[in-house]
Amino acid sequence: LGLQVDQQGDDWTLHAEYAADLFEAATVRRWLGHLRVLLEGIAASPDTRISELPLLTPEEIEELGSWNRTEAEVPREPVHRLFRLWAERAPDALAVEWDGGRLTYGELARRADGLVSRLRAQGVGPETVVALRLERSPELVTAVLAVLEAGGAYLPIDPANPEERVRWILEDSGALTELTAETLTPLPLSRGGGWEGGSGDGGEELAYVIYTSGSTGTPKGTELRHRGLSNLIAWHRRTFGLGPSDRTTLVSSPGFDNSVLEIWTALTSGASLHVPSRDTILSPSALLAWTAEQRITVMLLPTPLAEAVLAEAAVAKLPEDLALRALLTGGDRLRSRPAPGVPFELINFYGPTESTVDATAGRVAAHGERAPDIGAPIANTRVHVLDRNLRLVPVGVAGELCLAGEGLARAYRGRPDLTAERFVPNPFPASGGLPGERLYRSGDLACWLPDGNLQFLGRIDHQVKIRGFRIELGEIETVLLQYPGVREAVVAAREDRPDDRRLVAYYVPEHEQEPSSGQLRAWLRGKLPEFMVPAAFVPLGVLPLTPSGKIDRRALPAPVSGPVAPAAAPRTPLESLVAGVCSEILGIEEVPRDVSFFDLGGNSLMATQIVTLLQDVLPVELNLRQVLERPTVARMAEIVEEEHRALAEPERLAMDEILAELERSLAPG
């Protein structure tokens, strides 16, 4: 009943994988239907392998097909031409706004025109790649627009990436040229008053390339088409009714494909794009206040940040002038729901880079018995949940989530082997579909729910998501093994505390003198982005193995922080308080006074939590930037003391009493 086939060596076993909350009359009827089909198949073909016997009823096959009827017209115009229409129609309308100024649609078009001329002179045209090593900024928006106008494809690279990784991406991508903040200062301006139509046919031509973590130790580039981008943007504009009155945001890192969605939904709708500062993004309360102040109507946030904002919205009094009507999120498994009565919708997206940002979407209700689902397929996208033999599995049964439709990437850049492995012939082509249609095997586990939505269940392989970033553990392991003092290494994603998933590296030293965590962390930071650096490093004598000789990941121990040496212990009551807050956030027993919070596994979102907790306990106003610049217990205590001295007398006396009470509580006996 509700059977799924598993193979262990030559043995086949059957087991049920229905979620407990699906045990209802409709589910039982499905099971009986599956049992009937299975028994009929056995009777008709008694020598057939179980894995090859049918299980789904004709009615269920039809139902699964109905959930994939998502056909809609795909715009012929590429996104940069849609921007041009708005620039001609409303040249004085606000296009981009940031802390340092603003650009109208006309001004943005003229800046892009000047850059287009330069790019074309350098030979940029169809199928050429231009690397953009730029922060979230008006320069990034201008460069993205200009590259497509010149007929090329853009490759966004986060400037925070280590130089070695950037050089590798530039070489692997074959980028014709690279644009940086220095090369775009000042931005060239067009002297003409008109605009050319631009290049790109809106179809199979390359629009952009995104590099993500790769299991072989080096990142891999994914090539995305104009047609897929046009389809995605058209669906978003229709679904959320985007227009000139909307004010949207650019929050995502340029190297994260959510930034593609943020930029083009605004510029193709006549809306304005607003760029918050880094400090604002890192503080949920500040971000909510900024959202109200800027009259933001639609905002897209990575999952961890969206959950932090939802938590803030649940306990804080929302600004009365909050204009936000839709909070969009995606990139990781969503665990939170909006508090009842919040004035905006929460929309959860799912989509690997290989499907042009988003493949499914669903509204998240305030109440629900299970984790929020990932919704249903967007326009011109089809989702199949399949077993290892690429056969449909029943509703409620776990299988690999596979994608087809307009959003599929063209290929992995320069990797025909990997392309053939992940993009396979589609055994379920759309009605009237073209021969040779492909299916992308995502490696994600999911199941259909009876209402036609999808539940995300995790990964099949060793790829993980941490704070919204897709990470191949094999890439970190490969780089770690390049360190001279490491003989063996394995990296795992652990969740030893609820909702606190982090990377842990386990290694076997080459010699008796084992490398320190600090040495390994510094080595990885020089070669990998910060989000791929493990939070903890655990030396082992040997790696645990299964009876078959494979690494037994379940036997890897939880990282344990050792006792802090007396010289590194907190020296004052205030340092003890700060150390206690850091200990709670990091989930370790003792925090040295002189070790960076980030070297102990912290990140910027955790730093935001430290600021919030300290302000809950002490009557001081702390700035997140101060904590980021002085991330040790001793230096954070200095910050608090500086703010203490600057307080007005009543608040200063109140804090004096708090510190005195703390000192009494810490006194011996």
Side-chain angles (χ1 to χ4, degrees):
L1 299 179
L3 300 176
Q4 183 173 344
V5 180
D6 267 1
Q7 186 180 22
Q8 301 292 336
D10 294 327
D11 298 325
W12 292 88
T13 59
L14 301 175
H15 58 93
E17 289 204 21
Y18 281 93
D21 58 352
L22 297 177
F23 278 83
E24 53 187 25
T27 302
V28 174
R29 284 196 296 271
R30 288 184 189 274
W31 290 3
L32 293 174
H34 299 155
L35 180 59
R36 175 177 55 80
V37 171
L38 180 62
L39 294 176
E40 289 173 350
I42 292 172
S45 305
D47 296 328
T48 301
R49 287 174 174 266
I50 292 177
S51 61
E52 297 173 0
L53 288 171
L55 194 62
L56 275 67
T57 64
E59 294 78 15
E60 192 165 16
I61 293 173
E62 169 60 27
E63 183 178 50
L64 292 173
S66 70
W67 293 338
N68 274 316
R69 294 189 186 121
T70 59
E71 295 82 2
E73 183 179 356
V74 180
R76 294 183 178 180
E77 294 287 345
V79 290
H80 54 281
R81 289 185 188 161
L82 295 177
F83 163 80
R84 289 294 173 173
L85 295 176
W86 283 108
E88 292 172 345
R89 185 185 308 170
D92 296 328
L94 177 62
V96 185
E97 187 171 57
W98 67 102
D99 280 350
R102 60 203 328 257
L103 285 174
T104 66
Y105 271 79
E107 291 168 338
L108 178 57
R110 287 191 291 275
R111 287 195 177 200
D113 280 338
L115 186 53
V116 167
S117 300
R118 181 202 294 181
L119 293 172
R120 286 179 175 165
Q122 292 177 293
V124 174
E127 300 303 312
T128 59
V129 173
V130 178
L132 311 179
R133 199 184 333 183
L134 297 163
E135 301 280 1
R136 296 173 304 106
S137 63
E139 288 77 19
L140 173 66
V141 177
T142 305
V144 162
L145 177 59
V147 171
L148 295 193
E149 281 287 335
Y154 68 93
L155 164 59
I157 300 176
D158 191 334
N161 278 346
E163 187 63 32
E164 182 177 326
R165 185 182 180 87
V166 172
R167 287 198 305 270
W168 193 95
I169 291 174
L170 291 175
E171 182 177 348
D172 183 73
S173 66
L176 180 68
T177 188
E178 178 188 12
L179 299 180
T180 65
E182 291 73 23
T183 62
L184 293 181
T185 305
L187 271 168
L189 292 174
S190 170
R191 299 183 181 276
W195 303 296
E196 298 181 36
S199 301
D201 64 0
E204 295 301 317
E205 285 187 3
L206 191 61
Y208 67 95
V209 179
I210 291 280
Y211 270 75
T212 58
S213 178
S215 59
T216 60
T218 53
K220 60 182 183 292
T222 307
E223 299 180 340
L224 288 308
R225 309 170 302 152
H226 274 283
R227 186 176 176 87
L229 179 57
S230 295
N231 179 70
L232 171 77
I233 299 305
W235 180 84
H236 267 270
R237 291 171 60 199
R238 288 194 306 269
T239 302
F240 300 106
L242 291 167
S245 62
D246 280 300
R247 298 165 70 86
T248 68
T249 58
L250 177 55
V251 171
S252 301
S253 162
F256 191 24
D257 63 356
N258 272 351
S259 65
V260 175
L261 180 62
E262 290 176 295
I263 291 171
W264 290 113
T265 48
L267 297 186
T268 59
S269 304
S272 55
L273 185 67
H274 298 257
V275 186
S277 68
R278 184 168 181 265
D279 284 353
T280 299
I281 291 173
L282 292 175
S283 169
S285 58
L287 184 57
L288 272 174
W290 176 87
T291 300
E293 178 186 334
Q294 298 295 320
R295 305 291 295 164
I296 301 300
T297 56
V298 178
M299 179 163 61
L300 173 62
L301 298 178
T303 306
L305 184 53
E307 291 183 324
V309 168
L310 290 172
E312 178 71 19
V315 298
K317 179 176 171 50
L318 292 176
E320 293 182 0
D321 54 350
L322 188 69
L324 188 68
R325 57 185 173 84
L327 173 59
L328 319 181
T329 188
D332 209 341
R333 186 185 298 194
L334 180 67
R335 303 173 188 271
S336 304
R337 293 180 178 272
V342 296
F344 53 82
E345 284 188 312
L346 176 65
I347 314 295
N348 190 29
F349 290 95
Y350 162 84
T353 301
E354 291 83 352
S355 68
T356 313
V357 190
D358 293 331
T360 72
R363 286 175 169 79
V364 180
H367 301 286
E369 296 180 357
R370 55 177 176 260
D373 57 56
I374 57 173
I378 69 170
N380 298 307
T381 300
R382 296 183 303 285
V383 176
H384 303 291
V385 182
L386 308 177
D387 64 18
R388 68 183 69 227
N389 298 307
L390 296 185
R391 300 194 320 157
L392 296 171
V393 301
V395 171
V397 174
E400 183 176 10
L401 195 157
C402 300
L403 304 170
E406 295 292 349
L408 287 200
R410 205 168 64 176
Y412 290 115
R413 192 161 183 83
R415 296 289 305 277
D417 54 338
L418 186 60
T419 300
E421 176 187 331
R422 305 308 301 178
F423 294 86
V424 300
N426 186 6
F428 313 100
S431 177
L434 298 175
E437 187 176 62
R438 299 174 306 151
L439 184 78
Y440 171 65
R441 302 189 63 172
S442 72
D444 288 329
L445 279 174
C447 69
W448 284 107
L449 300 174
D451 60 4
N453 288 308
L454 290 148
Q455 189 79 46
F456 180 80
L457 301 174
R459 287 291 302 175
I460 295 173
D461 55 21
H462 293 150
Q463 186 186 94
V464 299
K465 281 198 173 182
I466 302 290
R467 303 195 304 279
F469 293 99
R470 191 169 76 173
I471 299 170
E472 291 279 5
L473 299 179
E475 181 174 358
I476 307 173
E477 292 167 358
T478 299
V479 176
L480 193 56
L481 285 168
Q482 294 169 2
Y483 189 84
V486 174
R487 185 171 76 246
E488 296 179 84
V490 62
V491 178
R494 300 187 62 98
E495 193 168 341
D496 297 306
R497 296 192 306 164
D499 301 330
D500 179 23
R501 202 172 196 212
R502 56 181 183 157
L503 295 174
V504 179
Y506 300 86
Y507 65 98
V508 177
E510 185 72 56
H511 311 290
E512 290 185 7
Q513 185 63 36
E514 65 185 43
S516 68
S517 297
Q519 289 172 319
L520 296 178
R521 186 174 283 109
W523 171 263
L524 293 177
R525 277 183 174 152
K527 298 177 180 294
L528 298 173
E530 185 65 33
F531 65 83
M532 293 180 69
V533 178
F537 295 81
V538 181
L540 297 173
V542 293
L543 294 178
L545 301 177
T546 64
S548 61
K550 297 181 179 180
I551 294 174
D552 187 353
R553 292 177 177 268
R554 294 183 179 180
L556 293 169
V560 178
S561 58
V564 171
R571 297 178 182 174
T572 67
L574 185 54
E575 285 188 6
S576 296
L577 174 64
V578 174
V581 169
C582 292
S583 173
E584 180 177 346
I585 298 299
L586 289 167
I588 59 180
E589 292 186 8
E590 296 183 74
V591 178
R593 67 182 301 274
D594 54 356
V595 176
S596 169
F597 169 79
F598 299 100
D599 287 343
L600 296 171
N603 55 59
S604 52
L605 284 176
M606 288 182 174
T608 301
Q609 294 174 292
I610 288 177
V611 171
T612 301
L613 281 179
L614 287 174
Q615 290 183 152
D616 287 344
V617 175
L618 301 171
V620 292
E621 288 292 327
L622 302 179
N623 184 292
L624 180 61
R625 183 178 293 278
Q626 293 173 307
V627 173
L628 295 176
E629 291 174 350
R630 294 191 272 180
T632 68
V633 165
R635 301 299 302 280
M636 281 190 264
E638 289 177 3
I639 297 170
V640 174
E641 188 56 45
E642 290 168 5
E643 296 299 321
H644 175 207
R645 290 194 294 269
L647 289 172
E649 185 173 356
E651 289 82 6
R652 189 172 65 253
L653 293 175
M655 184 164 168
D656 287 340
E657 182 56 35
I658 292 173
L659 294 177
E661 179 60 31
L662 179 63
E663 187 168 10
R664 286 192 291 270
S665 68
L666 294 173

